[in-house]
Amino acid sequence: MLAVRLGIWYIWGMKLWNVDRIRGLKGCGRLPCVTAYDFVSARLADEAGFPLLLAGDSLGTTVLGYASTIPVTLDVMLHHTAAVARGTRDALVVADMPFLSYQVSVAEGIRNAGRLLQEAGADAVKIEGGAFRSELVSALTLNGIPVLGHIGLTPQSVNQLGGYKVQGRTQAAAEQLVADARALEAAGAFALVLECVPPDLGEAVTAAVQIPVVGIGAGPGCDGQILVAHDLLGLSLAPPPKFVKPYAALADAVRVALGAYKMDVEAGRFPGPDQCYAQGTAEHPISNREHPISK
Ligand code: KIV
């Protein structure tokens, strides 16, 4: 029975992973996280057992061809997050709040975050920025919208930071990051992303708070790790950052497959007999693929 495989959470129509369970992992094990931008990648990551999927605004660079995440709009995030939510059964789906969707005022931030939950089916939102975001984080969590903080290298501030640079390299900057982490925890964030800092600082920030710290380029001392799926799968066209370990070379595999198909068409090898319908038989439907959503 489905409920037996999936556990008691499904009896109540709830997911396996929620913010309480994620928070509870602090000090009890490592939290693997990954980005997903569409139905298929979400379903595959969910089946692989990731507790947290991030519908990241990195989709601006990885799949939409922008030079940064700045052009990504709320409408784009709503569209992609909804696809991720449809593909996810067990994982917590976190939607990135894109540039300008939360910076203008707390009221706008609440409305836009609420849309990501209400219209797109996200379970939580991610917001870039440190202690100065405390008021917003507190307002969101008090209104029932869980928040994943994001400190260190915050890509939406790339123009202010002067590029994608390692953060927290001076004593003052490192202390500020620890203070930021504590402030976001106090404001109610259920976990933090810490991006691109030296490993010692990753460890110090992790030790400074009681909520999980998920590192990306922040060394092995964090409570969890997150990577952009396209980077770890070798599907990004730009060379990935130093902190990425490639687990596959999918871009190469796609190039080979597309080249083989193209050559088959040019040489008249495709379609072959196996890809043709027989005359005079009732073969219905034309595709025997189940619609993935109807499973
Ligand atoms: O947008 C994103 O994918 C992110 C992760 C890299 C943390 O913010």
Side-chain angles (χ1 to χ4, degrees), residues 35 37 54 56-58 96 126 128 150 193 195 216 226 228:
T35 62
Y37 307 131
L54 173 67
D57 63 353
S58 53
D96 236 337
K126 178 166 80 59
E128 293 184 8
H150 184 160
V193 167
E195 182 162 351
I216 172 163
I226 185 163
V228 167

Side-chain angles (χ1 to χ4, degrees), residues 116-187:
L116 287 161
L117 268 66
Q118 194 170 48
E119 297 174 32
D123 301 306
V125 297
K126 178 166 80 59
I127 286 172
E128 293 184 8
F132 65 99
R133 293 275 179 239
S134 295
E135 188 190 353
L136 174 60
V137 172
S138 168
L140 288 169
T141 52
L142 287 172
N143 283 291
I145 302 173
V147 177
L148 174 62
H150 184 160
I151 57 174
L153 174 58
T154 46
Q156 290 173 17
S157 301
V158 62
N159 294 315
Q160 178 64 25
L161 296 172
Y164 298 99
K165 297 175 180 168
V166 178
Q167 302 296 301
R169 277 186 153 151
T170 65
Q171 184 65 21
E175 282 169 13
Q176 181 60 53
L177 277 176
V178 171
D180 285 339
R182 289 195 172 124
L184 292 172
E185 176 184 31

Side-chain angles (χ1 to χ4, degrees), residues 193-254:
V193 167
L194 177 61
E195 182 162 351
C196 246
V197 300
D200 286 359
L201 181 54
E203 229 174 276
V205 170
T206 303
V209 292
Q210 296 309 308
I211 53 175
V213 174
V214 181
I216 172 163
C222 300
D223 300 298
Q225 299 291 329
I226 185 163
L227 284 178
V228 167
H230 283 59
D231 286 344
L232 78 93
L233 295 173
L235 204 47
S236 298
L237 298 187
K242 173 185 166 66
F243 57 74
V244 173
K245 178 175 172 184
Y247 287 84
L250 293 196
D252 292 342
V254 169

